[in-house]
Amino acid sequence: MPTTTRIRVPAACLAALLALAGCGAPDGDTVTADQRQPGGSSTGSPDDTTAGNTGQPPSGRTGGKLSPTDPPLIGTPTAPPRRPTELRKANVLAGRLSQGGSGPCYTLVTDDGREYALHGLDKGTFATGTFVRVTTAPATTEMDCGPGIPLSILKMSPVG
């Protein structure tokens, strides 16, 4: 009677052998060992080449899509948004000082052309033309700081 030799094969080796044997690709197609190895050659028609060798998916495949359905598309806007997309605080202004100095009166012109007559004691010295960010409050005194919408300064700092 012939003697049988048993060889123990680690599970990782067994899994690799099963994969190389062509247990099947996720889409149900059988993949050969030649197709799995980078630079491997395939025999048969040009359609049998792998995506890694030609840059194109094999015939009958969709180019490696993970889902059978396309994601929903977001259309191109047809009009500007109805509400602002970036919310800002109503009491914070930014613009260029058309009248600077050491206070207490300053004149601020925003990018949209609005002019503000600002009043604030001990807020600093700012040169005319300086771009500033100003946190404001309603005007509390009957101080006349010139043309523009009157406001009180809570905080003023140069920008940039």
Side-chain angles (χ1 to χ4, degrees):
M1 203 158 117
T3 307
T4 305
T5 306
R6 290 184 137 184
I7 301 173
R8 291 186 172 231
V9 179
C13 291
L14 183 59
L17 286 173
L18 290 174
L20 289 174
C23 290
D27 59 358
D29 293 342
T30 301
V31 179
T32 66
D34 286 344
Q35 290 172 328
R36 288 177 192 253
Q37 296 175 2
S41 62
S42 65
T43 57
S45 70
D47 289 339
D48 290 338
T49 60
T50 63
N53 293 336
T54 65
Q56 299 296 322
S59 65
R61 294 203 185 164
T62 59
K65 286 174 66 173
L66 298 176
S67 173
T69 60
D70 289 329
L73 299 176
I74 299 174
T76 304
T78 58
R82 292 187 189 121
R83 291 178 282 158
T85 56
E86 296 179 11
L87 300 177
R88 64 178 183 88
K89 294 180 179 179
N91 69 330
V92 176
L93 301 172
R96 184 182 58 82
L97 290 176
S98 62
Q99 177 190 336
S102 58
C105 290
Y106 307 89
T107 303
L108 176 79
V109 179
T110 59
D111 287 344
D112 60 3
R114 289 190 182 153
E115 190 172 48
Y116 294 89
L118 305 174
H119 179 266
L121 295 173
D122 300 322
K123 299 303 176 187
T125 301
F126 298 92
T128 298
T130 302
F131 285 90
V132 294
R133 178 176 296 133
V134 184
T135 304
T136 64
T140 56
T141 62
E142 295 299 322
M143 194 70 147
D144 183 15
C145 284
I149 302 166
L151 292 171
S152 292
I153 301 172
L154 296 176
K155 179 181 175 185
M156 185 160 68
S157 58
V159 175

